[in-house]
């Protein structure tokens, strides 16, 4: 096989992520994003990998160079100004020096790409001028769309910002992963002009250039679109500074304050989590829930239309629906708000400092006053005055000699 080189584009300035940490250094399952990309890159045994970095290059470079015996195949390129993927590729190409054969171009922020997919691209692309990876997405917003002629041949890529309403309907997208013959790449990049709308040099313009030259453009489609997704939070999700989001968690229209921890496998939708709160693992925040500062929502706890006050804790196995919970409240394991009588929903109010013992049912509508205690195993069916103890369980009886 002819020599293979790889360019990893990682000079994007993480503006959409709005994080203090460079995007490619964000840990996923404990490892920085870029490590996954390089592992996949190395699986096809390239001669050399050129990593294109932007303003935070020192940190990324230091991280990669600190890896045991790994830096030998890497060269680093600095894209001083973010002027588009074509310009980044050009910078990366320069750092590779004199090359022949093919170049694989990867995005530094697409960590789930599988080595099998790259190998498949290479098998197709190694004897062709230009091949790329595509995916069919139900929601293709933001991606470049693959344009095909009536025979199904690729004739170009149109970016979201430049697409007409009809073009926006196209579901086949460009994954940003290419296999290009080095000599053609060099020639094609020299032809790219800045886009009139975004003023950036689009790497995708090399596709239209190939077509103009009468060269065929080949594609492979990924089986599972998740493989090519970048780092994504769904809907209108906002994440404050220094938050940590564990693996398998899904955030849809969630608003997170600063320093929030969302532990693994939590599902948050249309909700607000304020600074310093801890969610999960395995927690569910349903719409209209608000978790105030420093509050804890632990494993197998579900909140629906509920406000959990500052510093309050519901750490295990609970359902809290249509509830207003004050500050410093402790919700014991297995607490259930019985908010629904089969017809209507009712509210539960727990004032500041309430202590709810384990395995409590709160039959709404009900109010528990400030600082009151609920004994474990109680079914609360009437309001509890502030400072008192409510207990409804049957007193324990021990029957001596029962076994005999
Ligand atoms: C690009 C493609 C789009 C494709 C999408 C897939 C172009 C013009 N568009 O979109 O068709 O659907 O990727 O994710 O190429 N980068 C740099 N320097 C730059 C700009 C970007 O290094 O000046 C890097 C980024 O860090 C990232 C990659 O290139 O790793 C892609 O950049 P991004 O801004 O995410 O992609 P788009 O240009 O929006």
């Amino acid at each position: 096989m002819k020599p293979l080189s790889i360019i990893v584009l990682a000079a994007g300035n993480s503006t959409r992520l709005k994080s203090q940490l460079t995007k490619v250094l964000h840990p996923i399952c404990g490892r920085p994003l870029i490590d996954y990309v390089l592992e996949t890159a190395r699986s096809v045994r390239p001669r050399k990998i050129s990593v294109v970095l932007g303003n935070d290059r020192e940190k990324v470079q230091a991280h990669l160079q600190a890896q045991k015996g790994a830096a030998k195949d890497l060269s680093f390129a600095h894209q001083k100004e973010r002027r588009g993927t074509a310009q980044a590729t050009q910078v990366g190409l320069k750092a590779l020096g004199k090359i022949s054969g093919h170049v694989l171009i990867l995005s530094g922020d697409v960590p789930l790409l599988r080595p099998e997919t790259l190998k498949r691209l290479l098998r197709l692309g190694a004897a062709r001028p230009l091949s790329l990876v595509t995916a069919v997405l139900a929601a293709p917003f933001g991606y470049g769309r693959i344009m095909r002629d009536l025979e199904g041949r690729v004739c170009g890529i149109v970016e979201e910002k430049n697409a007409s309403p009809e073009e926006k309907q196209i579901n086949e997208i460009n994954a940003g992963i290419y296999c290009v013959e080095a000599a053609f790449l060099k020639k094609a990049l020299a032809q790219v002009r800045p886009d009139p709308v975004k003023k950036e040099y689009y790497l995708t313009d090399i596709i239209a250039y190939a077509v103009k030259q009468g060269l065929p453009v080949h594609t492979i489609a990924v089986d599972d679109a998740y493989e090519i997704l970048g780092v994504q939070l769904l809907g209108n999700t906002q994440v404050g500074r220094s938050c940590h989001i564990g693996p398998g968690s899904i955030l849809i229209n969630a608003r997170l304050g600063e320093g929030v921890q969302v532990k693994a496998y939590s599902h948050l939708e249309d909700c607000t989590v304020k600074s310093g709160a801890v969610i999960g693992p395995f927690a569910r925040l349903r719409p209209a829930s608000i978790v105030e500062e420093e509050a804890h929502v632990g494993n197998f706890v579900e909140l629906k239309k509920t406000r959990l006050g500052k510093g309050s804790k519901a750490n295990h196995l609970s359902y809290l629906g249509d509830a207003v919970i004050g500050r410093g409240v402790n919700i014991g394991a297995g607490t259930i708000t019985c908010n629904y009588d089969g017809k209507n929903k009712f509210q539960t109010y727990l004032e500041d400092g309430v202590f709810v013992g384990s395995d409590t049912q709160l039959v709404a509508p009900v109010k528990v006053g400030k600082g009151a205690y609920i004994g474990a195993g109680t079914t609360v069916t009437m309001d509890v005055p502030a400072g008192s103890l409510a207990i409804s369980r049957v007193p324990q009886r021990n029957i001596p000699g029962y076994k005999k």
Side-chain angles (χ1 to χ4, degrees):
M1 204 177 92
K2 291 199 187 138
L4 176 70
S5 313
I6 294 187
I7 299 174
V8 177
L9 305 183
N13 41 20
S14 313
T15 38
R16 278 171 294 187
L17 204 59
K18 294 191 182 71
S19 173
Q20 291 161 304
L21 189 64
T22 308
K23 190 177 191 178
V24 296
L25 289 183
H26 271 86
I28 295 184
C29 298
R31 290 174 72 199
L33 229 147
I34 188 96
D35 287 10
Y36 295 91
V37 179
L38 289 180
E39 197 172 294
T40 303
R42 287 186 174 118
S43 74
V44 293
R45 301 176 172 277
R47 190 187 57 95
K48 205 148 194 184
I49 303 173
S50 159
V51 185
V52 184
L53 298 169
N55 295 338
D56 290 327
R57 70 186 189 289
E58 281 101 354
K59 285 182 215 148
V60 183
Q61 205 166 321
H63 163 72
L64 293 174
Q65 281 171 332
Q67 291 177 336
K68 254 205 309 209
K72 278 187 222 115
D73 58 350
L74 297 182
S75 58
F76 297 96
H78 183 203
Q79 188 191 17
K80 294 193 181 77
E81 270 177 83
R82 189 199 147 97
R83 296 179 68 193
T85 43
Q87 204 230 12
T89 307
Q90 200 145 33
V91 173
L93 196 60
K94 214 165 156 195
L96 287 171
K98 221 170 148 20
I99 55 162
S100 57
H102 276 70
V103 181
L104 283 177
I105 304 164
L106 310 180
S107 281
D109 61 353
V110 179
L112 303 181
L113 182 74
R114 293 179 313 136
E116 290 72 28
T117 305
L118 214 51
K119 285 176 188 157
R120 205 147 65 84
L121 176 68
L122 209 53
R123 277 200 297 277
L124 173 85
R128 296 179 165 92
L130 172 56
S131 313
L132 57 117
V133 179
T134 72
V136 174
L137 300 184
F141 180 83
Y143 286 95
R145 310 296 207 284
I146 307 291
M147 298 201 293
R148 293 183 183 268
D149 64 17
L150 291 174
E151 264 94 67
R153 288 177 301 222
V154 175
C155 53
I157 294 177
V158 60
E159 294 301 308
E160 176 79 34
K161 280 217 166 78
N162 308 78
S164 67
E166 294 78 42
E167 287 163 345
K168 283 182 184 164
Q169 301 298 313
I170 299 173
N171 286 99
E172 191 186 12
I173 62 103
N174 167 29
I177 298 150
Y178 316 80
C179 178
V180 196
E181 204 221 325
F184 170 76
L185 180 63
K186 222 168 158 185
K187 211 162 67 178
L189 286 173
Q191 307 295 320
V192 177
R193 295 284 165 267
D195 172 74
V197 180
K198 251 182 123 184
K199 313 278 179 240
E200 284 190 2
Y201 292 79
Y202 286 175
L203 178 58
T204 42
D205 283 359
I206 68 169
I207 280 83
Y209 177 71
V211 174
K212 231 164 74 192
Q213 302 291 303
L215 299 172
V217 175
H218 293 87
T219 59
I220 60 158
V222 286
D223 303 327
D224 187 344
Y226 270 100
E227 211 184 312
I228 55 90
L229 292 184
V231 179
Q232 232 176 21
L233 302 165
L234 303 176
N236 199 9
T237 292
Q238 296 165 21
V239 178
R241 283 167 200 264
S242 310
C243 289
H244 185 271
I245 299 172
S249 292
I250 297 176
L251 280 71
I252 307 163
N253 298 329
R255 287 166 299 281
L256 268 51
E258 296 191 5
V260 169
Q261 281 188 59
V262 178
K263 296 186 178 171
Y265 302 105
S266 297
H267 192 279
L268 284 68
E269 186 170 1
D270 292 311
C271 59
T272 302
V273 181
K274 300 207 182 155
S275 298
V278 180
I279 310 296
F282 297 100
R284 181 168 184 208
L285 303 186
R286 290 171 54 195
S289 292
I290 300 169
V291 178
E292 298 284 358
E293 286 90 350
E294 316 284 336
H296 289 197
V297 177
N299 33 273
F300 304 105
V301 174
E302 173 182 348
L303 262 63
K304 195 246 359 182
K305 273 196 195 163
T306 286
R307 177 188 289 268
L308 185 64
K310 188 172 176 183
S312 291
K313 290 178 183 159
N315 273 333
H316 334 268
L317 301 159
S318 291
Y319 170 65
L320 303 168
D322 301 296
V324 180
I325 300 168
R327 294 166 168 237
V329 171
N330 184 81
I331 306 282
T335 296
I336 309 280
T337 53
C338 310
N339 59 329
Y340 186 46
D341 65 0
K343 212 167 168 194
N344 295 305
K345 301 270 168 69
F346 300 96
Q347 291 273 331
T348 298
Y349 297 91
L350 303 179
E351 290 186 347
D352 295 351
V354 163
F355 181 94
V356 181
S358 298
D359 194 21
T360 290
Q361 300 99 53
L362 295 146
V363 183
V366 74
K367 184 172 162 188
V368 180
K370 213 168 171 176
Y373 280 74
I374 315 283
T378 293
T379 303
V380 182
T381 52
M382 53 188 179
D383 291 354
V384 182
S388 47
L389 167 70
I391 187 155
S392 74
R393 61 177 184 243
V394 178
Q396 180 176 331
R397 276 196 306 148
N398 291 340
I399 302 170
Y402 177 79
K403 187 176 179 205
K404 216 156 106 197

